[in-house]
Amino acid sequence: MRERRIKGLIMRVLVIEDDPELGAWLRATLTQALGPCDLVTSLEDARAAIAVAAFDLVVIDRQLPDGEGMSLLAELRVLRPQPGTILLTALDDPEEIANALDGGADDYVGKPFEPAELIARMRAVLRRLSAARDTVIRVGNLRFDSVQRSVHRDDTPIVLPRRELALLELLARRAGRVVLREALEGAVYCFDDDIQSNALDSHVSRLRRRLREADCEVVIRSVRGVGYMLSAS
């Protein structure tokens, strides 16, 4: 089943699932519906992933080869920004569900599940988290709404492709500070994407052009070999 992309949401998702068929399906479905999605099959790989990349949503299978998926919840709760968490399990005991929610999970979805229900639950979790954060970022006459995932120059909307939108959000959140290339690549690409050496620079160049053409009073400066910085012009 092909899910339509959720209007206004472009997120990075981590799926922790050791069933090859279900994992591949989840990755394909969530990439289509939400944005970049990475798949790992163990707690060890999950910890390695969250150590180097920021995720908006983490989907966790309860029963993994190297332990109980719930054991990761405490580690995810201390991350800033804190990702949303959804547990997937074949266990439907009400006490198990209560334990998972009390342990910090934002939601709990039993297997088997309907794709539409899973996506709707993810959308609800992401919107709750977005509403709890600073939702509107302003730099010069540029306005980025993190709930609607929209960009405006004053009151005029600016339409950006997914990767340029992800770049702009990270640059805007850290406006006036240099954002490392590694952080920007982590916001835009999945781990197994084939990234050309100049891919990030090409995305930044296109983003600059779009903002310039929209008469945005901002500038993206390059710090050679280090990263980029967004500031009001």
Short mmCIF file of all heavy atoms in Angstrom, two decimals, residues 96-157:
data_model
loop_
_atom_site.label_atom_id
_atom_site.label_comp_id
_atom_site.label_asym_id
_atom_site.label_seq_id
_atom_site.Cartn_x
_atom_site.Cartn_y
_atom_site.Cartn_z
N GLU A 96 1.17 -4.68 29.87
CA GLU A 96 2.36 -4.41 29.09
C GLU A 96 2.27 -3.03 28.42
O GLU A 96 3.23 -2.28 28.35
CB GLU A 96 2.56 -5.49 28.03
CG GLU A 96 2.95 -6.85 28.57
CD GLU A 96 4.39 -6.87 29.04
OE1 GLU A 96 5.16 -5.96 28.66
OE2 GLU A 96 4.74 -7.78 29.80
N ILE A 97 1.08 -2.74 27.91
CA ILE A 97 0.87 -1.44 27.26
C ILE A 97 1.06 -0.31 28.27
O ILE A 97 1.73 0.69 28.00
CB ILE A 97 -0.53 -1.38 26.62
CG1 ILE A 97 -0.64 -2.42 25.50
CG2 ILE A 97 -0.81 0.02 26.08
CD1 ILE A 97 -2.02 -2.54 24.91
N ALA A 98 0.48 -0.48 29.48
CA ALA A 98 0.61 0.53 30.52
C ALA A 98 2.07 0.72 30.92
O ALA A 98 2.54 1.85 31.11
CB ALA A 98 -0.23 0.14 31.73
N ASN A 99 2.81 -0.37 31.02
CA ASN A 99 4.22 -0.29 31.39
C ASN A 99 5.02 0.49 30.34
O ASN A 99 5.91 1.27 30.66
CB ASN A 99 4.81 -1.69 31.55
CG ASN A 99 4.31 -2.38 32.81
OD1 ASN A 99 3.86 -1.72 33.75
ND2 ASN A 99 4.39 -3.71 32.84
N ALA A 100 4.70 0.23 29.06
CA ALA A 100 5.41 0.91 27.98
C ALA A 100 5.14 2.41 28.02
O ALA A 100 6.07 3.23 27.89
CB ALA A 100 5.00 0.33 26.64
N LEU A 101 3.89 2.79 28.19
CA LEU A 101 3.53 4.21 28.23
C LEU A 101 4.12 4.88 29.46
O LEU A 101 4.61 6.01 29.39
CB LEU A 101 2.02 4.37 28.17
CG LEU A 101 1.35 3.87 26.87
CD1 LEU A 101 -0.16 3.96 26.99
CD2 LEU A 101 1.85 4.66 25.67
N ASP A 102 4.07 4.19 30.60
CA ASP A 102 4.68 4.74 31.82
C ASP A 102 6.19 4.86 31.69
O ASP A 102 6.82 5.71 32.31
CB ASP A 102 4.34 3.86 33.03
CG ASP A 102 2.89 4.00 33.47
OD1 ASP A 102 2.25 5.02 33.10
OD2 ASP A 102 2.39 3.11 34.17
N GLY A 103 6.78 3.98 30.85
CA GLY A 103 8.22 3.99 30.66
C GLY A 103 8.70 5.10 29.73
O GLY A 103 9.91 5.27 29.55
N GLY A 104 7.77 5.82 29.12
CA GLY A 104 8.17 6.96 28.29
C GLY A 104 7.78 6.88 26.84
O GLY A 104 8.03 7.82 26.08
N ALA A 105 7.18 5.78 26.39
CA ALA A 105 6.74 5.69 25.00
C ALA A 105 5.58 6.66 24.76
O ALA A 105 4.72 6.85 25.63
CB ALA A 105 6.30 4.27 24.67
N ASP A 106 5.57 7.29 23.60
CA ASP A 106 4.47 8.20 23.25
C ASP A 106 3.25 7.44 22.77
O ASP A 106 2.13 7.93 22.87
CB ASP A 106 4.92 9.19 22.18
CG ASP A 106 5.95 10.17 22.72
OD1 ASP A 106 5.59 10.96 23.61
OD2 ASP A 106 7.10 10.13 22.27
N ASP A 107 3.46 6.25 22.20
CA ASP A 107 2.33 5.44 21.74
C ASP A 107 2.80 3.99 21.61
O ASP A 107 4.00 3.69 21.67
CB ASP A 107 1.79 5.94 20.40
CG ASP A 107 0.32 5.60 20.19
OD1 ASP A 107 -0.21 4.74 20.93
OD2 ASP A 107 -0.30 6.18 19.29
N TYR A 108 1.82 3.11 21.43
CA TYR A 108 2.06 1.67 21.46
C TYR A 108 1.14 1.05 20.43
O TYR A 108 -0.08 1.20 20.52
CB TYR A 108 1.71 1.18 22.87
CG TYR A 108 2.12 -0.22 23.22
CD1 TYR A 108 3.23 -0.45 24.02
CD2 TYR A 108 1.37 -1.32 22.81
CE1 TYR A 108 3.60 -1.73 24.38
CE2 TYR A 108 1.73 -2.60 23.17
CZ TYR A 108 2.85 -2.80 23.96
OH TYR A 108 3.22 -4.08 24.33
N VAL A 109 1.70 0.41 19.41
CA VAL A 109 0.90 -0.13 18.31
C VAL A 109 1.09 -1.64 18.25
O VAL A 109 2.22 -2.13 18.17
CB VAL A 109 1.30 0.50 16.96
CG1 VAL A 109 0.46 -0.08 15.83
CG2 VAL A 109 1.14 2.02 17.02
N GLY A 110 -0.02 -2.37 18.30
CA GLY A 110 0.05 -3.82 18.26
C GLY A 110 0.13 -4.36 16.84
O GLY A 110 -0.40 -3.78 15.90
N LYS A 111 0.86 -5.47 16.70
CA LYS A 111 0.95 -6.17 15.42
C LYS A 111 -0.14 -7.23 15.38
O LYS A 111 -0.39 -7.89 16.40
CB LYS A 111 2.31 -6.85 15.26
CG LYS A 111 3.51 -5.92 15.32
CD LYS A 111 4.79 -6.77 15.26
CE LYS A 111 6.03 -5.92 15.38
NZ LYS A 111 7.27 -6.73 15.38
N PRO A 112 -0.75 -7.45 14.22
CA PRO A 112 -0.59 -6.68 12.98
C PRO A 112 -1.34 -5.35 13.07
O PRO A 112 -2.23 -5.18 13.90
CB PRO A 112 -1.23 -7.59 11.93
CG PRO A 112 -2.27 -8.34 12.69
CD PRO A 112 -1.71 -8.57 14.07
N PHE A 113 -0.97 -4.41 12.21
CA PHE A 113 -1.60 -3.09 12.25
C PHE A 113 -1.92 -2.67 10.83
O PHE A 113 -1.33 -3.14 9.85
CB PHE A 113 -0.68 -2.06 12.91
CG PHE A 113 0.73 -2.09 12.38
CD1 PHE A 113 1.07 -1.51 11.17
CD2 PHE A 113 1.72 -2.72 13.11
CE1 PHE A 113 2.35 -1.54 10.68
CE2 PHE A 113 3.03 -2.76 12.63
CZ PHE A 113 3.35 -2.18 11.41
N GLU A 114 -2.86 -1.76 10.71
CA GLU A 114 -3.21 -1.18 9.42
C GLU A 114 -2.27 -0.01 9.12
O GLU A 114 -2.01 0.81 10.00
CB GLU A 114 -4.66 -0.68 9.43
CG GLU A 114 -5.70 -1.78 9.47
CD GLU A 114 -5.67 -2.62 8.20
OE1 GLU A 114 -5.38 -2.08 7.12
OE2 GLU A 114 -5.93 -3.83 8.30
N PRO A 115 -1.74 0.07 7.91
CA PRO A 115 -0.82 1.16 7.58
C PRO A 115 -1.39 2.54 7.89
O PRO A 115 -0.69 3.40 8.43
CB PRO A 115 -0.58 0.97 6.08
CG PRO A 115 -0.80 -0.50 5.84
CD PRO A 115 -1.89 -0.88 6.79
N ALA A 116 -2.66 2.75 7.55
CA ALA A 116 -3.26 4.07 7.77
C ALA A 116 -3.28 4.43 9.24
O ALA A 116 -3.05 5.59 9.63
CB ALA A 116 -4.67 4.11 7.18
N GLU A 117 -3.55 3.44 10.10
CA GLU A 117 -3.59 3.69 11.55
C GLU A 117 -2.19 4.03 12.07
O GLU A 117 -2.02 4.96 12.87
CB GLU A 117 -4.13 2.49 12.30
CG GLU A 117 -4.13 2.69 13.82
CD GLU A 117 -4.48 1.44 14.60
OE1 GLU A 117 -4.68 0.38 13.97
OE2 GLU A 117 -4.54 1.54 15.84
N LEU A 118 -1.18 3.28 11.61
CA LEU A 118 0.18 3.54 12.07
C LEU A 118 0.62 4.95 11.69
O LEU A 118 1.17 5.69 12.52
CB LEU A 118 1.13 2.51 11.45
CG LEU A 118 2.61 2.68 11.81
CD1 LEU A 118 2.83 2.48 13.30
CD2 LEU A 118 3.47 1.73 11.00
N ILE A 119 0.38 5.35 10.44
CA ILE A 119 0.78 6.69 10.00
C ILE A 119 0.02 7.76 10.79
O ILE A 119 0.59 8.78 11.18
CB ILE A 119 0.52 6.85 8.49
CG1 ILE A 119 1.40 5.87 7.70
CG2 ILE A 119 0.81 8.28 8.05
CD1 ILE A 119 2.88 6.07 7.87
N ALA A 120 -1.26 7.53 11.03
CA ALA A 120 -2.05 8.51 11.79
C ALA A 120 -1.51 8.67 13.21
O ALA A 120 -1.44 9.79 13.74
CB ALA A 120 -3.51 8.09 11.81
N ARG A 121 -1.13 7.57 13.83
CA ARG A 121 -0.58 7.64 15.19
C ARG A 121 0.77 8.38 15.20
O ARG A 121 1.05 9.16 16.10
CB ARG A 121 -0.42 6.23 15.76
CG ARG A 121 -1.75 5.59 16.16
CD ARG A 121 -1.52 4.16 16.62
NE ARG A 121 -2.74 3.53 17.07
CZ ARG A 121 -3.17 3.53 18.33
NH1 ARG A 121 -2.46 4.15 19.26
NH2 ARG A 121 -4.27 2.92 18.67
N MET A 122 1.59 8.12 14.18
CA MET A 122 2.86 8.83 14.07
C MET A 122 2.63 10.32 13.88
O MET A 122 3.32 11.15 14.49
CB MET A 122 3.67 8.26 12.91
CG MET A 122 4.17 6.86 13.16
SD MET A 122 5.08 6.22 11.75
CE MET A 122 5.66 4.66 12.44
N ARG A 123 1.68 10.66 13.03
CA ARG A 123 1.37 12.07 12.80
C ARG A 123 0.96 12.75 14.10
O ARG A 123 1.39 13.87 14.39
CB ARG A 123 0.25 12.18 11.77
CG ARG A 123 -0.22 13.61 11.52
CD ARG A 123 -1.20 13.65 10.38
NE ARG A 123 -2.32 12.76 10.59
CZ ARG A 123 -3.22 12.46 9.64
NH1 ARG A 123 -3.10 12.96 8.44
NH2 ARG A 123 -4.22 11.65 9.92
N ALA A 124 0.15 12.07 14.90
CA ALA A 124 -0.31 12.64 16.16
C ALA A 124 0.86 12.87 17.12
O ALA A 124 0.95 13.92 17.77
CB ALA A 124 -1.36 11.73 16.80
N VAL A 125 1.76 11.91 17.21
CA VAL A 125 2.93 12.05 18.09
C VAL A 125 3.80 13.21 17.64
O VAL A 125 4.23 14.05 18.45
CB VAL A 125 3.74 10.74 18.11
CG1 VAL A 125 5.10 10.96 18.78
CG2 VAL A 125 2.98 9.65 18.85
N LEU A 126 4.07 13.29 16.35
CA LEU A 126 4.94 14.35 15.83
C LEU A 126 4.34 15.73 16.04
O LEU A 126 5.04 16.69 16.38
CB LEU A 126 5.23 14.11 14.35
CG LEU A 126 6.14 12.91 14.06
CD1 LEU A 126 6.12 12.57 12.58
CD2 LEU A 126 7.56 13.19 14.53
N ARG A 127 3.04 15.85 15.85
CA ARG A 127 2.40 17.15 16.02
C ARG A 127 2.41 17.57 17.49
O ARG A 127 2.57 18.76 17.81
CB ARG A 127 1.00 17.14 15.44
CG ARG A 127 0.98 17.06 13.93
CD ARG A 127 -0.34 17.53 13.34
NE ARG A 127 -0.37 17.35 11.91
CZ ARG A 127 0.24 18.14 11.02
NH1 ARG A 127 0.95 19.17 11.43
NH2 ARG A 127 0.14 17.90 9.72
N ARG A 128 2.22 16.62 18.40
CA ARG A 128 2.28 16.95 19.82
C ARG A 128 3.66 17.46 20.19
O ARG A 128 3.81 18.44 20.93
CB ARG A 128 1.91 15.74 20.68
CG ARG A 128 0.44 15.39 20.68
CD ARG A 128 0.08 14.51 21.87
NE ARG A 128 0.82 13.26 21.92
CZ ARG A 128 0.44 12.13 21.33
NH1 ARG A 128 -0.68 12.11 20.63
NH2 ARG A 128 1.16 11.04 21.45
N LEU A 129 4.69 16.80 19.70
CA LEU A 129 6.05 17.23 19.99
C LEU A 129 6.35 18.60 19.39
O LEU A 129 6.98 19.45 20.03
CB LEU A 129 7.04 16.20 19.47
CG LEU A 129 7.10 14.88 20.23
CD1 LEU A 129 8.04 13.91 19.51
CD2 LEU A 129 7.56 15.09 21.67
N SER A 130 5.92 18.80 18.15
CA SER A 130 6.17 20.08 17.49
C SER A 130 5.49 21.22 18.24
O SER A 130 6.04 22.30 18.39
CB SER A 130 5.68 20.03 16.04
OG SER A 130 6.46 19.15 15.27
N ALA A 131 4.29 20.97 18.72
CA ALA A 131 3.54 22.01 19.43
C ALA A 131 4.23 22.39 20.74
O ALA A 131 4.10 23.51 21.22
CB ALA A 131 2.12 21.54 19.70
N ALA A 132 4.99 21.43 21.32
CA ALA A 132 5.65 21.69 22.59
C ALA A 132 6.97 22.44 22.41
O ALA A 132 7.54 22.94 23.38
CB ALA A 132 5.90 20.38 23.32
N ARG A 133 7.48 22.52 21.20
CA ARG A 133 8.74 23.19 20.93
C ARG A 133 8.47 24.62 20.44
O ARG A 133 7.34 25.02 20.22
CB ARG A 133 9.54 22.43 19.87
CG ARG A 133 9.89 21.00 20.29
CD ARG A 133 10.52 20.25 19.12
NE ARG A 133 10.80 18.87 19.47
CZ ARG A 133 11.15 17.94 18.59
NH1 ARG A 133 11.28 18.26 17.31
NH2 ARG A 133 11.39 16.70 18.98
N ASP A 134 9.56 25.38 20.27
CA ASP A 134 9.43 26.70 19.65
C ASP A 134 8.98 26.48 18.21
O ASP A 134 9.69 25.87 17.41
CB ASP A 134 10.77 27.43 19.66
CG ASP A 134 11.20 27.80 21.07
OD1 ASP A 134 10.32 27.92 21.93
OD2 ASP A 134 12.41 27.93 21.30
N THR A 135 7.80 26.96 17.88
CA THR A 135 7.20 26.57 16.61
C THR A 135 7.53 27.50 15.45
O THR A 135 7.51 27.07 14.30
CB THR A 135 5.67 26.47 16.76
OG1 THR A 135 5.17 27.74 17.18
CG2 THR A 135 5.30 25.41 17.78
N VAL A 136 7.82 28.76 15.72
CA VAL A 136 8.08 29.71 14.64
C VAL A 136 9.47 30.31 14.84
O VAL A 136 9.79 30.85 15.90
CB VAL A 136 7.03 30.83 14.59
CG1 VAL A 136 7.36 31.82 13.49
CG2 VAL A 136 5.64 30.24 14.37
N ILE A 137 10.28 30.19 13.81
CA ILE A 137 11.64 30.72 13.84
C ILE A 137 11.71 31.87 12.84
O ILE A 137 11.30 31.72 11.69
CB ILE A 137 12.66 29.63 13.45
CG1 ILE A 137 12.46 28.37 14.30
CG2 ILE A 137 14.08 30.15 13.58
CD1 ILE A 137 13.13 27.16 13.72
N ARG A 138 12.26 33.01 13.27
CA ARG A 138 12.36 34.18 12.40
C ARG A 138 13.82 34.59 12.25
O ARG A 138 14.54 34.72 13.25
CB ARG A 138 11.54 35.34 12.97
CG ARG A 138 10.06 35.04 13.12
CD ARG A 138 9.32 36.21 13.74
NE ARG A 138 7.94 35.87 14.05
CZ ARG A 138 6.93 35.94 13.20
NH1 ARG A 138 7.15 36.40 11.97
NH2 ARG A 138 5.71 35.60 13.56
N VAL A 139 14.22 34.79 11.01
CA VAL A 139 15.56 35.32 10.70
C VAL A 139 15.35 36.35 9.60
O VAL A 139 14.93 36.02 8.50
CB VAL A 139 16.52 34.22 10.21
CG1 VAL A 139 17.91 34.81 9.99
CG2 VAL A 139 16.58 33.06 11.19
N GLY A 140 15.64 37.63 9.91
CA GLY A 140 15.34 38.68 8.94
C GLY A 140 13.85 38.68 8.64
O GLY A 140 13.02 38.63 9.55
N ASN A 141 13.50 38.71 7.35
CA ASN A 141 12.08 38.66 6.98
C ASN A 141 11.64 37.24 6.63
O ASN A 141 10.57 37.02 6.05
CB ASN A 141 11.80 39.59 5.80
CG ASN A 141 12.54 39.19 4.53
OD1 ASN A 141 13.42 38.33 4.56
ND2 ASN A 141 12.19 39.82 3.42
N LEU A 142 12.46 36.25 7.01
CA LEU A 142 12.16 34.84 6.77
C LEU A 142 11.49 34.25 8.01
O LEU A 142 11.93 34.48 9.14
CB LEU A 142 13.46 34.08 6.47
CG LEU A 142 13.33 32.58 6.18
CD1 LEU A 142 12.77 32.36 4.78
CD2 LEU A 142 14.70 31.91 6.30
N ARG A 143 10.43 33.48 7.78
CA ARG A 143 9.71 32.85 8.88
C ARG A 143 9.56 31.36 8.59
O ARG A 143 9.07 30.97 7.54
CB ARG A 143 8.33 33.48 9.05
CG ARG A 143 7.57 32.96 10.27
CD ARG A 143 6.28 33.72 10.49
NE ARG A 143 5.19 33.25 9.65
CZ ARG A 143 4.67 33.91 8.63
NH1 ARG A 143 5.16 35.11 8.30
NH2 ARG A 143 3.66 33.44 7.94
N PHE A 144 10.03 30.52 9.52
CA PHE A 144 9.92 29.06 9.38
C PHE A 144 8.99 28.55 10.47
O PHE A 144 9.25 28.74 11.66
CB PHE A 144 11.30 28.41 9.52
CG PHE A 144 11.30 26.93 9.24
CD1 PHE A 144 11.72 26.44 8.02
CD2 PHE A 144 10.85 26.03 10.19
CE1 PHE A 144 11.71 25.08 7.75
CE2 PHE A 144 10.83 24.68 9.93
CZ PHE A 144 11.26 24.20 8.71
N ASP A 145 7.91 27.90 10.07
CA ASP A 145 6.94 27.32 11.01
C ASP A 145 7.22 25.82 11.11
O ASP A 145 7.01 25.08 10.15
CB ASP A 145 5.52 27.57 10.51
CG ASP A 145 4.46 27.18 11.54
OD1 ASP A 145 4.61 26.11 12.16
OD2 ASP A 145 3.47 27.91 11.71
N SER A 146 7.70 25.36 12.27
CA SER A 146 8.10 23.97 12.42
C SER A 146 6.92 23.03 12.60
O SER A 146 7.08 21.81 12.45
CB SER A 146 9.06 23.81 13.60
OG SER A 146 8.43 24.18 14.81
N VAL A 147 5.74 23.55 12.92
CA VAL A 147 4.55 22.70 13.01
C VAL A 147 3.99 22.44 11.62
O VAL A 147 3.75 21.29 11.23
CB VAL A 147 3.48 23.33 13.92
CG1 VAL A 147 2.20 22.51 13.88
CG2 VAL A 147 3.99 23.44 15.35
N GLN A 148 3.81 23.51 10.86
CA GLN A 148 3.27 23.36 9.51
C GLN A 148 4.34 22.99 8.49
O GLN A 148 4.02 22.63 7.36
CB GLN A 148 2.61 24.68 9.07
CG GLN A 148 1.42 25.09 9.91
CD GLN A 148 0.31 24.07 9.86
OE1 GLN A 148 0.03 23.49 8.81
NE2 GLN A 148 -0.34 23.85 11.00
N ARG A 149 5.63 23.07 8.93
CA ARG A 149 6.75 22.82 8.03
C ARG A 149 6.65 23.71 6.80
O ARG A 149 6.76 23.28 5.65
CB ARG A 149 6.80 21.33 7.61
CG ARG A 149 6.72 20.36 8.74
CD ARG A 149 7.94 20.41 9.62
NE ARG A 149 9.14 19.95 8.94
CZ ARG A 149 10.34 19.95 9.48
NH1 ARG A 149 10.52 20.45 10.69
NH2 ARG A 149 11.37 19.50 8.82
N SER A 150 6.43 25.00 7.06
CA SER A 150 6.25 25.96 5.98
C SER A 150 7.24 27.11 6.13
O SER A 150 7.70 27.42 7.24
CB SER A 150 4.82 26.50 5.97
OG SER A 150 4.53 27.19 7.17
N VAL A 151 7.54 27.76 5.00
CA VAL A 151 8.47 28.89 4.97
C VAL A 151 7.78 30.07 4.30
O VAL A 151 7.12 29.90 3.27
CB VAL A 151 9.75 28.51 4.18
CG1 VAL A 151 10.74 29.68 4.19
CG2 VAL A 151 10.40 27.26 4.74
N HIS A 152 7.96 31.26 4.90
CA HIS A 152 7.40 32.47 4.32
C HIS A 152 8.44 33.58 4.31
O HIS A 152 9.28 33.66 5.20
CB HIS A 152 6.19 32.97 5.13
CG HIS A 152 4.97 32.11 4.97
ND1 HIS A 152 4.83 30.89 5.60
CD2 HIS A 152 3.83 32.32 4.25
CE1 HIS A 152 3.65 30.38 5.28
NE2 HIS A 152 3.03 31.21 4.47
N ARG A 153 8.37 34.43 3.28
CA ARG A 153 9.07 35.71 3.28
C ARG A 153 8.00 36.75 3.55
O ARG A 153 7.13 36.99 2.72
CB ARG A 153 9.75 35.95 1.94
CG ARG A 153 10.65 37.20 1.92
CD ARG A 153 9.95 38.42 1.41
NE ARG A 153 9.55 38.21 0.02
CZ ARG A 153 8.53 38.82 -0.55
NH1 ARG A 153 7.78 39.66 0.16
NH2 ARG A 153 8.21 38.59 -1.81
N ASP A 154 8.04 37.32 4.77
CA ASP A 154 6.92 38.12 5.25
C ASP A 154 5.66 37.24 5.18
O ASP A 154 5.62 36.22 5.85
CB ASP A 154 6.80 39.41 4.45
CG ASP A 154 8.01 40.32 4.65
OD1 ASP A 154 8.53 40.36 5.79
OD2 ASP A 154 8.45 40.97 3.68
N ASP A 155 4.69 37.59 4.35
CA ASP A 155 3.48 36.77 4.26
C ASP A 155 3.41 35.95 2.97
O ASP A 155 2.39 35.34 2.66
CB ASP A 155 2.23 37.66 4.35
CG ASP A 155 2.09 38.31 5.71
OD1 ASP A 155 2.40 37.63 6.71
OD2 ASP A 155 1.69 39.48 5.78
N THR A 156 4.50 35.93 2.22
CA THR A 156 4.52 35.21 0.95
C THR A 156 5.13 33.82 1.13
O THR A 156 6.27 33.70 1.60
CB THR A 156 5.35 35.98 -0.09
OG1 THR A 156 4.80 37.29 -0.24
CG2 THR A 156 5.33 35.25 -1.43
N PRO A 157 4.40 32.77 0.79
CA PRO A 157 4.93 31.41 0.98
C PRO A 157 6.08 31.12 0.02
O PRO A 157 6.10 31.61 -1.11
CB PRO A 157 3.72 30.51 0.71
CG PRO A 157 2.81 31.33 -0.14
CD PRO A 157 3.01 32.76 0.27
#
